[in-house]
Amino acid sequence: MDLDTKSTPELTHEELRRLYSLVSATRELDLAAVAWQRQGIIPGYAPELGQEAAQVGSAFAMDPARDFLFPTYREMGVALALGVDMVQYMSTHKASWHGGLYNPVQTRLAPIQAVVGGSVLHAVGWAHGSRLAAAPGTDLPVAITYFGDGASSQGDIHEAMNFAGVLKAPVIFFVQNNGWAISLPTEEQVAGGRVAARASGYAMASVTVDGNDAAAVVRATRSAAAHARAGKGPVLIEAMTYRRGPHSTSDDPGRYRTLDEERRDAGTDPVTRLADLILSSGAGTQEFLDSAAADAKAHAEAVREGVQALGSRPGSEMFDFVFAEPTNALKAQARAWREESEHV
């Protein structure tokens, strides 16, 4: 079933300006984070160059007062759009903490998830629980969960979608189809090349949206949230975009595609596209765009300073959050670590 997005209003000029500020800040911080990794400030990072519109647009459409967002390890733009402290977010990439130092309950952003497809199961569980807890006839809180075209082949994804479809869980499955499952092109690991086609097998609505068009992503996600909030069940959104950089800072995309292929397939840059819309619609001037770019650079520099100031966490914490009740083996490992590292 195709989701109806035609009744969702266009964005106001104020919304377009806010959206651009967030997209611009995401682009600048993403480029900065790659540079930090090259400089040794952080040990690793998963870039999102080219996916800013999909990430910011989808988060922009959600209601952080009641909804919950479940990221992977690449949703920096989602976190920024929600207003998460980006030093606390980047603490995971600094290897200072697992899943981010931010408070998930307050920010409505679940901890950063490195397990491929893992956050999807959590989102469906949360959505089902919120549906059970809601008063009859009221609008439902909605979960949105992120994954890529590569992750869509994971068994966990299919179990989660089936569970959500059967129980009409208010959850949005947001697929960023960036053309690559690390080094494997989408057409070689997704039959038919589109993930949205799978939604019908789980009796859920779906929509394919231009993931480089931030305003279109906002409207599609708002439509999906309204559908799920009304108790009509889950929605699968497939945002067609392109991963312009490497899968991670340890990846070399030159081993599986050429620069000519990147230029040919990447499409319109999402930041440039939104800037053109701002100017053509009269939502803002070139002075506004320049100001947003300057603010984005200043923000990235402030985050860099905060990330560099992050201290190391106590090594003993590695034993604290493994089991609710530590096993004898874990206690023995902790004792051995203290003897070797702290000489106690």
Side-chain angles (χ1 to χ4, degrees):
M1 175 178 62
D2 291 335
L3 182 71
D4 178 21
T5 61
K6 295 179 181 178
S7 59
T8 303
E10 297 288 344
L11 275 65
T12 65
H13 285 183
E14 179 185 355
E15 288 176 324
L16 287 174
R17 290 191 295 270
R18 284 169 45 211
L19 188 63
Y20 183 81
S21 294
L22 291 168
V23 168
S24 181
T26 299
R27 167 63 60 85
E28 190 65 35
L29 187 55
D30 181 64
L31 293 175
V34 174
W36 301 342
Q37 191 278 331
R38 304 310 191 210
Q39 297 163 9
I41 296 174
I42 57 177
Y45 179 69
E48 59 187 70
L49 185 66
Q51 297 178 223
E52 299 91 349
Q55 292 197 8
V56 172
S58 57
F60 191 88
M62 303 303 290
D63 181 358
R66 53 180 171 174
D67 299 334
F68 221 102
L69 294 79
F70 293 80
T72 71
Y73 46 80
R74 199 185 302 276
E75 271 67 57
M76 185 268 287
V78 171
L80 193 151
L82 283 178
V84 174
D85 183 292
M86 296 314 293
V87 174
Q88 295 180 353
Y89 175 88
M90 292 297 296
S91 64
T92 290
H93 298 291
K94 174 71 172 176
S96 297
W97 191 241
H98 305 287
L101 284 168
Y102 59 88
N103 186 321
V105 175
Q106 293 177 354
T107 62
R108 312 302 286 177
L109 181 72
I112 296 170
Q113 174 64 261
V115 176
V116 177
S119 59
V120 178
L121 296 166
H122 300 163
V124 173
W126 184 91
H128 180 52
S130 70
R131 183 172 182 267
L132 294 177
T138 61
D139 286 348
L140 300 174
V142 177
I144 182 170
T145 178
Y146 295 86
F147 56 100
D149 48 299
S152 72
S153 296
Q154 290 284 110
D156 285 353
I157 303 292
H158 295 274
E159 292 178 15
M161 289 196 292
N162 186 61
F163 194 94
V166 169
L167 297 174
K168 292 190 177 299
V171 58
I172 300 169
F173 297 93
F174 193 89
V175 185
Q176 295 173 86
N177 188 337
N178 64 21
W180 294 92
I182 306 183
S183 60
L184 193 67
T186 303
E187 60 269 18
E188 293 186 20
Q189 62 90 27
V190 175
R194 292 292 178 95
V195 182
R198 296 173 175 172
S200 61
Y202 301 106
M204 71 174 73
S206 68
V207 60
T208 299
V209 64
D210 184 344
N212 290 342
D213 185 340
V217 173
V218 173
R219 294 181 67 245
T221 309
R222 283 177 172 171
S223 298
H227 179 96
R229 211 178 295 287
K232 298 178 181 179
V235 180
L236 191 153
I237 299 176
E238 185 172 19
M240 306 303 294
T241 179
Y242 191 83
R243 196 192 75 214
R244 293 170 178 258
H247 173 75
S248 70
T249 48
S250 61
D251 174 38
D252 176 13
R255 297 180 63 184
Y256 49 85
R257 70 186 189 201
T258 67
L259 287 175
D260 286 340
E261 288 173 330
E262 288 186 25
R263 297 187 185 100
R264 181 194 69 205
D265 299 335
T268 305
D269 180 276
V271 180
T272 302
R273 185 165 182 171
L274 184 54
D276 290 343
L277 177 60
I278 293 282
L279 295 175
S280 65
S281 66
T285 63
Q286 186 61 49
E287 288 75 17
F288 163 75
L289 300 180
D290 294 342
S291 176
D295 290 344
K297 287 183 179 295
H299 175 255
E301 179 60 18
V303 175
R304 181 192 64 78
E305 293 175 356
V307 167
Q308 287 190 290
L310 287 171
S312 299
R313 304 292 297 186
S316 59
E317 285 185 340
M318 75 176 84
F319 304 103
D320 292 343
F321 306 108
V322 181
F323 298 106
E325 296 293 334
T327 64
N328 289 333
L330 188 65
K331 292 177 182 178
Q333 292 171 12
R335 285 194 300 270
W337 181 87
R338 286 194 296 269
E339 291 171 0
E340 295 177 8
S341 301
E342 299 181 345
H343 308 291
V344 294

